[in-house]
Amino acid sequence: QVQLVESGGGLVQAGDSLRLSCAASERTFSSPSMGWFRQSSGKEREFVAAVDWSGSITDYSDAVKGRFTISRDNAKNTVYLQINSLKPEDTAIYYCAASDVFASRSPQNYRYWGQGTQVTVSS
């Protein structure tokens, strides 16, 4: 019954843009904050961005700050990640998640996870 479903990934070239979407159940979306993480092959899952329940407060990792924008539409129970100026190092599976802690950067604080959407950036 509880789920998060990501979409919007794909194969793009460096410099391109993508918008990822994460549709959540009402119960999951009621969490204090929503976040995006990413994981490259052979690497640990890393924090990307988070947004509080109102959408007013956001947090970004240094790696994506200035290029990525997280937002949410509470009426649609959906969180978005706008990705601009994509780089090859952005290649990863992107996951959305629901956190028990406001704008947490720690994966351990996220209760629910989607299955991810693949973003591949070619040089």
Side-chain angles (χ1 to χ4, degrees), residues 6-27:
E6 302 96 333
S7 62
L11 174 61
V12 298
Q13 296 182 350
D16 286 353
S17 297
L18 284 173
R19 190 180 77 160
L20 308 184
S21 298
C22 176
S25 67
E26 291 186 15
R27 292 178 180 177

Side-chain angles (χ1 to χ4, degrees), residues 56-123:
S56 298
I57 302 175
T58 58
D59 186 31
Y60 300 93
S61 69
D62 291 339
V64 307
K65 197 172 187 178
R67 297 188 298 117
F68 289 27
T69 302
I70 188 171
S71 62
R72 64 192 294 162
D73 186 336
N74 290 348
K76 297 181 179 180
N77 293 337
T78 302
V79 62
Y80 304 96
L81 185 68
Q82 177 68 40
I83 309 175
N84 298 136
S85 302
L86 279 159
K87 304 175 180 179
E89 52 262 44
D90 294 321
T91 296
I93 300 175
Y94 284 73
Y95 300 89
C96 66
S99 176
D100 289 331
V101 178
F102 165 69
S104 176
R105 294 189 173 193
S106 178
Q108 68 182 16
N109 289 319
Y110 287 78
R111 294 175 296 172
Y112 308 110
W113 295 82
Q115 293 186 339
T117 183
Q118 176 71 232
V119 173
T120 302
V121 185
S122 62
S123 301

